[in-house]
Amino acid sequence: MAALGDGDENAQLIQGHACIKKQYRSNLQEQLIRRVDSFILLFQAKLEKISLQVAENKMIGRFRSLLAHWTRGIRRRLAGDRYHPEEHYMRGPGPKTRAKSAGRASSTG
């Protein structure tokens, strides 16, 4: 290295600047890596917490559906009179048609 004042000052400044720049970059990179690592750790903890909440919600949802199924079954058993569609199925003319046809038969005969 040349001494200050012999005309090589620009070269010395450039070398010094490059050295400082490398150190600064390495410090910035280390800081960035530390921040990224801390972010990853925080994010991982939050993801684990969210996954636990999702699992709890799934269990709550399953419990709710199971409870609803049980209550529906109990209601059906307690109600007794359930709707049976075969009892309401129309198998021919209804009472109004029978009354009309009975009226016609009695007036013609």
Side-chain angles (χ1 to χ4, degrees), residues 56-66:
E56 288 175 6
N57 287 341
K58 282 184 181 178
M59 288 303 293
I60 289 171
R62 289 179 185 159
F63 179 73
R64 283 183 182 167
S65 66
L66 182 64

Side-chain angles (χ1 to χ4, degrees), residues 10-26:
N10 286 338
Q12 287 176 353
L13 286 174
I14 290 171
Q15 285 177 351
H17 181 68
C19 183
I20 291 170
K21 195 173 181 181
K22 285 180 185 177
Q23 288 176 352
Y24 183 70
R25 279 187 183 167
S26 66

Side-chain angles (χ1 to χ4, degrees), residues 21-78:
K21 195 173 181 181
K22 285 180 185 177
Q23 288 176 352
Y24 183 70
R25 279 187 183 167
S26 66
N27 287 340
L28 281 178
Q29 287 172 345
E30 287 178 17
Q31 289 176 0
L32 182 64
I33 289 170
R34 283 189 204 125
R35 286 186 182 175
V36 167
D37 286 344
S38 65
F39 174 76
I40 288 172
L41 290 174
L42 287 172
F43 190 69
Q44 185 177 8
K46 287 185 180 183
L47 279 178
E48 288 174 1
K49 186 177 179 182
I50 289 171
S51 67
L52 288 175
Q53 288 175 347
V54 167
E56 288 175 6
N57 287 341
K58 282 184 181 178
M59 288 303 293
I60 289 171
R62 289 179 185 159
F63 179 73
R64 283 183 182 167
S65 66
L66 182 64
L67 185 64
H69 180 72
W70 284 345
T71 54
R72 264 186 254 120
I74 290 171
R75 279 190 211 142
R76 286 179 184 159
R77 287 184 187 95
L78 292 176

